[in-house]
Amino acid sequence: MNKKFSFFAFILWLSLAAPSCKEAAPPSPPVVIMAQSLDSLKAGVACAHPEAARIGAEILAAGGNAIDAATAMQWALAVCYPEAGNIGGGGFMVLRNSDGSSATLDFREKAPSAASANMYLNAEENPVEGSSTDTHLSSGVPGSVRGIFDAHERYGSMPMDQLINPAIALAAKGFPVTQKQAEYLNLDAEVFTNRNRAPVAFVRSDRPWQDGDTLVQTELAATLKRIRDQGPAGFYEGVTAALIADEMAAGAGLISAYDLKNYNAIWREPLTFPFGKYTIISMPPPSSGGVALAQIMGMYSDCIKEELRHNSPEYIHAMVESERRAYADRSYYLGDPDFTDVPVKALMDSLYLRRRMDNFTWAAATPSSAVSYGTIATFTESMETTHLSVIDAQGNAVSVTTTLNDNFGNKIVVTGAGFLLNNEMDDFSIKPGVPNMFGLVGGDANAIAPGKRMLSSMTPAIVTKDGNLFLVVGSPGGSTIITSVLQTIMNTAHFGMTLTVATAAPKFHSQWLPDVVYVEENRFDENALKKLEALGHKIMPVPSLGRVDAIRMRTDGTLEAVGDPRSDNQAAGYR
């Protein structure tokens, strides 16, 4: 053998066989894209604010799963969407894993331990105006922080500091407010000033807010850092808990250090029901959303046999008649299942639903005065909430709705901590038959009691078709959340619309009391509205209903993500 050839062959072999001293560069993360409506995505998010949508999509692009993205988005919304994003409120989560298993997490606020059934009534047992909405007394014990940590602990894959740091940066460095946010902040500037004992970040002293102005929240950044470094104890104990207790003492509120330390979120069994080839997965009580969806869709599919055109007078009539019966049942039977026996299965039973529609007629509307809650054979939100939807590249899906109740909650900021308090106590029935801020009435099942969770209309939902993921959906809107989610599901699953068209389609709403049908103004055919009025329906135009954030999985496995065009809502993801 030629030695020279052998030597060079040996060197060549070494160069090919030996590991390189220079490591290969890691692959670049996918490029995140953003718009109000996106299609052909591998992974995507949709939520109420562009900053939070961007952060969620970047987490997905960096390899995070759906819970990681939802976690980062909730922290971000607490900063960039103070109207409803929060650490001072609560909410619900519905999730479905890629293996088909599902779960729901209840992190709804609780009544403080010092709360009582008649706490908002005067000596004559009449409600004291504003006491359940505009004061420290209106705040329930916050659940958002505990809920975020509980979900992340069970399903998250990235470290929490990586998920909360983007929100801390948003708070410390600031973010540009949108035109709509500037309008909201200016509208409530006087209220912020009157209800707070120290200047708050949401009020400018020099001039009104304008589109693009930077909102910096230094105190909130410090609070988020304590949460990052100490976990849930950074909120429910220590410095932040002391600041909350001080705020309560200053305003005669009821939340105590004991209430904060003992707050718990609860994993509950998902509420599921069929609708043709579809299965809807949603929240059980204390959310009323899942039960109401099941009742309305059940009454429609069991009793309305005709093929009805979308938003025709006949379709709206049939849906309104179903809605008024479901909301009447809501007022009597639904509440916190840890405090009252909620007959969920009986309310969803097909025979019961058919009986509820016995007096339905195509010829005339049923007056709400003639509709009460049904007899069960075996024995009753300004609309500021926010929602986010996520689907990751593996097919894990998350639907989260959180709230402060009213726009900016009760508009009281915890001095020194920088976050807003909720006014969720108004969601209890403060007196039987007396409506809350959304016009909803209730009874004993939703009466105030220490440690009890107030009934909610939040309706995070996930829909499957023939066992495969189909839709992740939710909306803000107080009592209109249920019907906004309902119509988005019906538009996609029943009428076959694309998600972009389904989300933008005109909406209507009815809730038993008051006895009216709300319709988005200038969006419905006038002749159709006249036909409804001729049937006896009272039509009331409103500027808009719901702001849906949703993601649909197509049959080819790609995603369509949509942020509602009615506001600043945004979709983001990567292809």
Side-chain angles (χ1 to χ4, degrees):
M1 180 181 291
N2 183 297
K3 290 183 178 180
K4 186 175 181 181
F5 175 81
S6 299
F7 174 77
F8 283 110
F10 176 70
I11 295 298
L12 177 61
W13 176 83
L14 279 179
S15 68
L16 294 174
S20 172
C21 295
K22 186 177 180 181
E23 294 184 6
S28 300
V31 176
V32 168
I33 54 176
M34 297 178 61
Q36 205 146 52
S37 177
L38 294 168
D39 60 16
S40 302
L41 299 177
K42 290 182 180 178
V45 306
C47 71
H49 198 279
E51 294 286 351
R54 172 185 59 79
I55 287 170
E58 287 175 350
I59 292 296
L60 291 177
N65 64 23
I67 284 290
D68 294 326
T71 297
M73 292 167 74
Q74 287 179 85
W75 294 129
L77 286 166
V79 178
C80 66
Y81 196 67
E83 299 95 312
N86 68 83
I87 58 174
F92 298 118
M93 172 184 288
V94 178
L95 63 93
R96 182 182 184 272
N97 297 307
S98 57
D99 63 8
S101 61
S102 60
T104 62
L105 181 61
D106 171 2
F107 52 101
R108 181 69 160 147
E109 302 90 336
K110 288 184 174 184
S113 55
S116 59
N118 298 325
M119 60 187 285
Y120 298 114
L121 306 183
N122 60 22
E124 291 74 36
E125 297 190 353
N126 293 318
V128 177
E129 186 176 355
S131 61
S132 67
T133 56
D134 304 340
T135 69
H136 291 72
L137 200 63
S138 68
S139 295
V141 183
S144 289
V145 172
R146 175 61 67 183
I148 292 171
F149 273 93
D150 282 7
H152 177 262
E153 181 180 1
R154 182 174 289 196
Y155 294 105
S157 66
M158 284 184 166
M160 182 61 85
D161 59 354
Q162 193 171 344
L163 305 177
I164 196 173
N165 279 337
I168 294 172
L170 272 186
K173 298 177 182 178
F175 68 93
V177 301
T178 67
Q179 178 63 44
K180 286 186 173 64
Q181 284 186 307
E183 292 170 2
Y184 287 146
L185 289 167
N186 292 332
L187 184 66
D188 286 324
E190 185 176 352
V191 181
F192 278 127
T193 300
N194 293 338
R195 291 188 193 169
N196 288 279
R197 54 200 174 104
V200 297
F202 306 122
V203 178
R204 289 189 66 117
S205 59
D206 55 345
R207 60 168 173 78
W209 289 94
Q210 296 175 4
D211 182 18
D213 282 347
T214 301
L215 173 56
V216 176
Q217 300 168 81
T218 306
E219 290 181 346
L220 178 58
T223 298
L224 291 172
K225 287 178 182 177
R226 288 191 291 272
I227 295 170
R228 178 195 62 192
D229 298 340
Q230 302 167 32
F235 182 85
Y236 293 102
E237 301 177 52
V239 173
T240 305
L243 291 171
I244 295 172
D246 288 346
E247 190 63 47
M248 289 293 114
L254 296 183
I255 299 173
S256 67
Y258 172 87
D259 295 324
L260 292 165
K261 189 173 182 179
N262 287 278
Y263 178 86
N264 67 304
I266 299 178
W267 290 99
R268 298 192 187 275
E269 189 69 23
L271 187 149
T272 63
F273 63 93
F275 183 72
K277 296 180 180 180
Y278 299 87
T279 298
I280 286 76
I281 308 167
S282 192
M283 281 300 305
S287 167
S288 63
V291 173
L293 280 182
Q295 287 194 297
I296 297 166
M297 296 177 81
M299 283 184 262
Y300 182 86
S301 60
D302 285 348
C303 303
I304 311 301
K305 304 302 183 184
E306 290 81 356
E307 288 293 327
L308 304 179
R309 182 171 50 85
H310 177 256
N311 279 357
S312 64
E314 295 77 17
Y315 174 71
I316 296 173
H317 173 63
M319 293 300 287
V320 165
E321 291 293 298
S322 302
E323 289 167 9
R324 74 167 83 241
R325 287 160 175 80
Y327 277 87
D329 280 356
R330 178 195 190 278
S331 73
Y332 184 78
Y333 288 113
L334 300 189
D336 186 344
D338 299 331
F339 282 75
T340 188
D341 183 17
V342 183
V344 172
K345 289 184 179 179
L347 290 169
M348 294 167 55
D349 181 76
S350 59
L351 290 175
Y352 170 75
L353 296 178
R354 280 197 283 271
R355 287 201 309 273
R356 290 294 277 135
M357 293 291 277
D358 277 347
N359 60 346
F360 167 78
T361 172
W362 290 105
T366 310
S368 288
S369 58
V371 175
S372 183
Y373 55 88
T375 302
I376 294 175
T378 58
F379 42 136
T380 181
E381 296 166 18
S382 145
M383 303 178 180
E384 207 44 61
T385 300
T386 192
H387 180 82
L388 63 91
S389 294
V390 185
I391 300 179
D392 64 25
Q394 289 70 46
N396 301 298
V398 180
S399 181
V400 185
T401 311
T402 65
T403 186
L404 290 169
N405 205 29
D406 201 357
N407 203 26
F408 301 106
N410 56 18
K411 301 172 182 65
I412 297 170
V413 177
V414 176
T415 303
F419 65 88
L420 287 152
L421 291 167
N422 68 79
N423 56 359
E424 293 293 350
M425 293 295 286
D426 188 64
D427 272 355
F428 281 116
S429 175
I430 62 176
K431 182 180 179 180
V434 174
N436 68 7
M437 71 171 70
F438 302 118
L440 293 168
V441 297
D444 291 341
N446 191 36
I448 302 170
K452 187 176 182 180
R453 299 173 201 262
M454 58 290 292
L455 188 61
S456 171
S457 295
M458 289 184 283
T459 315
I462 295 174
V463 182
T464 64
K465 181 181 181 182
D466 296 326
N468 299 311
L469 182 61
F470 175 73
L471 183 68
V472 181
V473 61
S475 177
S479 59
T480 72
I481 293 174
I482 297 167
T483 52
S484 295
V485 172
L486 167 72
Q487 287 169 86
T488 306
I489 295 174
M490 292 293 290
N491 290 352
T492 52
H494 187 62
F495 291 106
M497 297 179 186
T498 67
L499 188 56
T500 301
V501 173
T503 303
K507 292 189 180 74
F508 59 91
H509 169 76
S510 180
Q511 61 181 49
W512 183 46
L513 294 175
D515 191 355
V516 297
V517 179
Y518 300 98
V519 299
E520 291 187 315
E521 59 189 2
N522 301 321
R523 302 206 63 199
F524 285 84
D525 179 75
E526 284 299 320
N527 290 327
L529 297 181
K530 288 177 181 178
K531 288 182 180 179
L532 289 167
E533 288 177 327
L535 292 174
H537 292 292
K538 299 174 183 132
I539 304 299
M540 180 174 289
V542 293
S544 68
L545 290 167
R547 292 192 298 279
V548 170
D549 293 298
I551 308 174
R552 181 174 71 97
M553 180 170 280
R554 294 169 165 170
T555 54
D556 64 0
T558 63
L559 307 177
E560 181 185 9
V562 177
D564 201 303
R566 292 167 178 82
S567 193
D568 298 320
N569 300 50
Q570 193 86 358
Y574 64 86
R575 296 188 173 116

